[in-house]
Amino acid sequence: MQTTDTVLMIEPIAFGFNEETAKNNYFQVEQKGFDIQFQALTEFKAFAEKLRSKGINVITIKDTLDPHTPDSIFPNNWVSFHNDGKVVLYPMFASNRRVERREDIIETIKEQGFEVSEIDDWSLPEIQGHFLEGTGSMIFDHDHKIAYGSVSLRLDERLFREFCEKYGFTPVVFHSFQTVDSERLPIYHTNVMMCVADRFVVICLDCIDDELERNKVMETIKNSGKEIIEISEDQMHQFAGNMLQVQNKEGEKFLVMSETAYKSLDENQVSSIEKYCEIIYSDLHTIEVNGGGSARCMLAEVFLPKK
């Protein structure tokens, strides 16, 4: 199943600009002069409430002050929860993000009525400088067992292919870039430039500079029977690629995004999406600017079987 009705969100307690991740996350800008944590928490709570109001099961767990984890609001990078009961832990680029991996979070998920058969820890390669940052770096087409991955410091191609082989996904490897100060630089996470839903894919094809790679991605999407909804690089910079499709307990599907992303879309793009599902959007401006991530990054899907 491509969509889940349950997501994990980590409530921030000391959110802020992370200098370690900003080295290659070109979406981040440090804001000064007001209470970043207060604003981020306000945005977080409003976002979680919007999801719950649509019947989506949101499990929120509070972050801790010690250790200091300014990016804990983005849990999808360090963990994924699979329908066979496996929980996967991932190798993280920033050392201060590695301490986000908390056993008590997994225990809380179990207490919510989900089965965990195995914890599959892939984090060891981070010591040697090899990273694979979960569903930030890998975009899954669960129904067709395809995984899309844009190579960057946060997606090691060898690790990506090993993961796909173990979990039965066909890897689609490519390179995507964004213009930063007139220079083409690698996009840090695949999930800021593409989103795979059940019957459509939102993607910034302009970010894939290599024509052969771009054609391969397009062909793979088309062969999976999904409509391509293309966004521009400017829209990608407004987090229009950082979306996630979820469903509620009645099976109604929604595409979740930020207000910034929604406002960047034109009428045709909105209509194309709404052919398939309702849009949920929320103001995440403070989180986006300082954290360099948006709605999708804040949601870790829970596909675990129920007890």
Side-chain angles (χ1 to χ4, degrees), residues 57-236:
N57 183 26
V58 181
I59 300 171
T60 57
I61 298 174
K62 289 188 178 183
D63 191 17
T64 56
L65 278 174
D66 186 24
H68 176 50
T69 50
D71 275 334
S72 62
I73 202 168
F74 306 131
N76 77 309
N77 301 141
W78 68 264
V79 67
S80 61
F81 304 96
H82 297 257
N83 62 7
D84 60 357
K86 288 182 181 175
V87 175
V88 183
L89 308 180
Y90 295 98
M92 304 287 288
F93 166 75
S95 57
N96 64 4
R97 294 212 62 191
R98 298 168 190 173
V99 289
E100 292 176 30
R101 296 189 295 256
R102 287 167 45 194
E103 190 175 329
D104 66 293
I105 291 175
I106 299 170
E107 288 301 314
T108 301
I109 297 288
K110 289 163 67 175
E111 290 167 7
Q112 294 289 319
F114 293 93
E115 288 187 19
V116 173
S117 60
E118 179 187 343
I119 297 177
D120 189 9
D121 190 347
W122 286 63
S123 65
L124 192 61
E126 68 192 14
I127 299 171
Q128 283 81 39
H130 302 291
F131 315 110
L132 185 66
E133 295 198 337
T135 55
S137 62
M138 299 181 288
I139 310 298
F140 297 130
D141 180 337
H142 292 284
D143 292 334
H144 298 90
K145 298 298 285 185
I146 300 167
Y148 297 89
S150 177
V151 177
S152 71
L153 271 176
R154 304 186 193 209
L155 183 141
D156 180 275
E157 184 175 345
R158 179 183 58 81
L159 275 180
F160 176 51
R161 292 186 182 278
E162 286 179 5
F163 179 91
C164 288
E165 184 175 357
K166 179 170 182 179
Y167 281 86
F169 287 91
T170 299
V172 179
V173 179
F174 59 97
H175 299 74
S176 62
F177 301 89
Q178 64 188 117
T179 299
V180 181
D181 297 328
S182 302
E183 187 179 358
R184 294 296 274 174
L185 297 175
I187 290 176
Y188 80 107
H189 275 161
T190 315
N191 77 356
V192 296
M193 55 78 62
M194 76 178 296
C195 159
V196 174
D198 61 343
R199 293 188 288 164
F200 64 95
V201 173
V202 177
I203 185 169
C204 180
L205 292 170
D206 288 345
C207 291
I208 307 175
D209 291 351
D210 184 277
E211 186 176 355
L212 289 176
E213 289 187 347
R214 186 166 62 250
N215 288 338
K216 180 185 177 184
V217 170
M218 291 173 63
E219 182 182 3
T220 304
I221 295 169
K222 289 175 181 176
N223 287 342
S224 71
K226 299 180 192 286
E227 178 183 349
I228 293 175
I229 301 174
E230 192 172 351
I231 57 172
S232 68
E233 187 169 335
D234 180 63
Q235 290 173 317
M236 187 272 298

